[in-house]
Amino acid sequence: MLTIEWSATEGWQAPLIKPFGNMSLHPACSSLHYGVQTFDHSELLECIRRLVEIDQDWVPHSDSAGLYIRPTFISTEPSLGVKKPGHALLYVILCQAGSYFNNEAEALSLWADPKYTRAWEGGTGDCKMGGNYGCSLLAQYEAVDYGCQQVLWLYGEDHQITEAGTMNIFLHWINEIGEEELATPPLDGIILPGVTRQSILELTRKWNLHIPCQDKNTQLTSRIAKELTDIQYGRIHSDWTFLV
Ligand SMILES: *Cc1c(COP(=O)(O)O)cnc(C)c1O
């Protein structure tokens, strides 16, 4: 694992790659990290590159699995108070991962109930932050009770569609004037700005929705999935490719 410690008095310490071990976290560890200076992005990318290089034997050689890279940033302040942290830890761990949803079905079922709210204006719904998931679990359990895999989160009095529990959503339809249209809710502060969402927007803008596929029956979703996984598995080269 990669660990980088931060303290208010000393700032960022040197990054360290060490054997994976358990961490004892203080109960107050989920505090907000506002006020902690961010670690340099390109240096973090280089540290992760080095970590993956060291653990390269763990990279699965399979089309249905990948190496999951999980960076996490927590407060390690040894006190109970709700205040700006004086100590924090940025760590990165890796594991082999298969498909997120272990079902064979092509589609996921979503369950929506306006009585629950995932995020709100002025909140932290646009950050990948632990607190957002704690309060969404009750709705997730209910979705599972109703035989669905994910919650479709609604917002506001008019029940606007925002996103699903762990993924952004797209709507693909033929609009009123007969045109093929792909739409996704805007990043207005209550939606997690996912990498997959951004990637799909960039790819489909490049295609201008004239979907480049030999088979007319190939669905847009399969075409997007193929392009993304071809990039992820190195079958095609892209600006997004990062060699380790
Ligand atoms: C992680 C997550 C997403 C998807 O983000 P990606 O970067 O595409 O993996 C979308 N919505 C929520 C609420 C998430 O937690």
Side-chain angles (χ1 to χ4, degrees):
M1 65 192 294
L2 166 69
T3 59
I4 313 171
E5 286 186 45
W6 178 88
S7 74
T9 45
E10 320 232 337
W12 286 104
Q13 305 298 295
L16 199 66
I17 294 180
K18 58 184 190 186
F20 177 80
N22 290 336
M23 282 168 289
S24 44
L25 304 181
H26 191 267
C29 70
S30 62
S31 29
L32 289 174
H33 300 294
Y34 300 146
V36 174
Q37 82 222 67
T38 50
F39 189 78
D40 183 82
H41 289 182
S42 53
E43 186 163 347
L44 180 60
L45 197 59
E46 174 54 25
C47 291
I48 294 175
R49 191 200 63 74
R50 182 73 188 119
L51 177 67
V52 173
E53 187 178 58
I54 291 172
D55 268 346
Q56 57 183 279
D57 289 347
W58 286 99
V59 178
H61 294 277
S62 153
D63 278 3
S64 55
L67 187 73
Y68 190 91
I69 302 172
R70 164 64 66 89
T72 308
F73 189 37
I74 55 167
S75 161
T76 47
E77 189 63 30
S79 83
L80 285 172
V82 178
K83 56 178 188 199
K84 196 169 137 179
H87 297 83
L89 176 71
L90 172 59
Y91 67 87
V92 183
I93 52 179
L94 312 171
C95 73
Q96 294 181 319
S99 171
Y100 189 83
F101 297 100
N102 48 6
N103 67 332
E104 297 293 306
E106 296 250 303
L108 291 180
S109 46
L110 300 173
W111 175 84
D113 186 332
K115 80 170 180 246
Y116 294 110
T117 306
R118 189 195 84 94
W120 46 89
E121 274 170 42
T124 56
D126 56 350
C127 306
K128 214 161 182 81
M129 210 175 72
N132 294 339
Y133 304 93
C135 66
S136 72
L137 281 182
L138 195 59
Q140 175 63 26
Y141 295 154
E142 213 168 297
V144 171
D145 282 347
Y146 281 95
C148 295
Q149 277 128 329
Q150 284 266 301
V151 176
L152 175 65
W153 290 98
L154 306 174
Y155 185 71
E157 308 248 298
D158 52 349
H159 306 161
Q160 292 166 35
I161 289 173
T162 60
E163 62 172 316
T166 56
M167 56 190 163
N168 298 112
I169 57 158
F170 281 85
L171 303 174
H172 181 217
W173 58 34
I174 307 289
N175 67 18
E176 289 100 339
I177 54 169
E179 291 168 341
E180 193 179 357
E181 200 169 68
L182 187 66
T184 190
L187 300 181
D188 53 7
I190 55 167
I191 288 169
L192 197 288
V195 176
T196 316
R197 175 187 178 281
Q198 188 60 31
S199 308
I200 292 174
L201 284 178
E202 287 182 31
L203 284 178
T204 52
R205 276 184 188 138
K206 233 189 291 177
W207 298 341
N208 204 18
L209 276 200
H210 299 301
I211 303 148
C213 48
Q214 293 86 9
D215 178 0
K216 269 215 299 256
N217 297 320
T218 305
Q219 287 197 355
L220 178 64
T221 45
S222 327
R223 175 68 192 137
I224 291 172
K226 181 175 185 310
E227 185 86 4
L228 282 179
T229 47
D230 279 354
I231 293 170
Q232 286 168 357
Y233 287 105
R235 290 188 286 261
I236 57 176
H237 190 83
S238 137
D239 297 346
W240 304 332
T241 307
F242 181 80
L243 284 180
V244 172

